[in-house]
Amino acid sequence: NMKYYIKEKGNVFGESLDADIYFEDGYCYTNMLGTKTKIKVDLQEFMDQYNTTVDASDMKYDYMKSIEAKKDHGNTIFTFVLDESKIGEYTKDAMGAMGEIMEAGEFTFSKAAGEMTINKAGYVVDMNIDMSISITIEGQETKADMNMSIKYNNPGKTVTMPEFDKSGYTETED
């Protein structure tokens, strides 16, 4: 009886883009932009998409221009600069299904750098990536600075899921 919960907080062009995504008993519940939807999802398809995203978060060394490591209170902190010419491939992998959107336009990265912290037990506890991107779709150019921060709570420990309120969700077709 797998359960999966993600809480996202974001800001796109000055607008808050927060989301709650919950999976249980063959349904994916999404609360984003004030809209609550419930969609029937095959567990294997869900896991395949999840694994694609997780695999993509494992950056390949050839995406790096440089990487440095330092110790801080027993943790190892990696600071890295990504190769802007290769970061589009990484982003397509990391965005999974959103990769189709990326195929529709031209994406140029002018900055891509970050930091990852690994604790004493060998678990990733957080990662931050800053990117500057220019997106051109149908002749329209948009520039954006993006910051992605990921925090892993209690890595390596047993996970206890909070009770999720499934009321108010409207079932939709995919």
Side-chain angles (χ1 to χ4, degrees):
N1 187 16
M2 189 193 85
K3 296 178 183 180
Y4 180 80
Y5 177 67
I6 261 186
K7 183 170 194 70
E8 295 180 350
K9 292 194 168 286
N11 187 302
V12 178
F13 303 115
E15 295 294 320
S16 176
L17 186 62
D18 299 345
D20 289 310
I21 302 166
Y22 181 75
F23 179 87
E24 181 181 23
D25 296 330
Y27 282 92
C28 184
Y29 300 82
T30 304
N31 182 358
M32 185 166 34
L33 300 173
T35 302
K36 292 181 168 184
T37 57
K38 170 184 172 182
I39 187 168
K40 184 100 176 129
V41 177
D42 176 81
L43 176 61
Q44 189 59 50
E45 287 178 24
F46 183 83
M47 291 307 298
D48 289 347
Q49 179 64 39
Y50 171 78
N51 288 332
T52 298
T53 302
V54 169
D55 290 346
S57 68
D58 184 18
M59 275 187 243
K60 297 174 179 79
Y61 184 75
D62 61 339
Y63 292 158
M64 308 278 178
K65 268 189 184 175
S66 66
I67 187 167
E68 296 178 5
K70 67 178 181 180
K71 289 286 191 182
D72 182 32
H73 297 94
N75 295 328
T76 302
I77 300 172
F78 291 97
T79 303
F80 53 88
V81 176
L82 302 172
D83 184 338
E84 294 90 351
S85 67
K86 295 180 181 177
I87 193 63
E89 178 185 338
Y90 166 74
T91 305
K92 283 180 192 177
D93 290 344
M95 294 180 79
M98 292 288 289
E100 293 174 16
I101 293 170
M102 294 188 71
E103 297 295 335
E106 181 180 326
F107 291 71
T108 307
F109 293 85
S110 57
K111 176 183 93 170
E115 194 173 86
M116 180 185 334
T117 304
I118 299 176
N119 69 12
K120 295 174 190 178
Y123 293 102
V124 175
V125 293
D126 64 41
M127 182 166 64
N128 297 294
I129 299 176
D130 290 309
M131 292 188 279
S132 293
I133 185 172
S134 171
I135 306 165
T136 304
I137 298 176
E138 295 182 4
Q140 294 290 98
E141 182 182 31
T142 303
K143 293 185 178 192
D145 290 325
M146 299 186 305
N147 174 272
M148 180 174 65
S149 296
I150 300 170
K151 179 173 176 40
Y152 299 90
N153 294 315
N154 304 314
K157 305 244 165 87
T158 300
V159 175
T160 304
M161 293 290 287
E163 191 63 34
F164 185 81
D165 181 7
K166 298 180 228 171
S167 63
Y169 285 80
T170 304
E171 188 165 353
T172 61
E173 298 291 322
D174 60 344

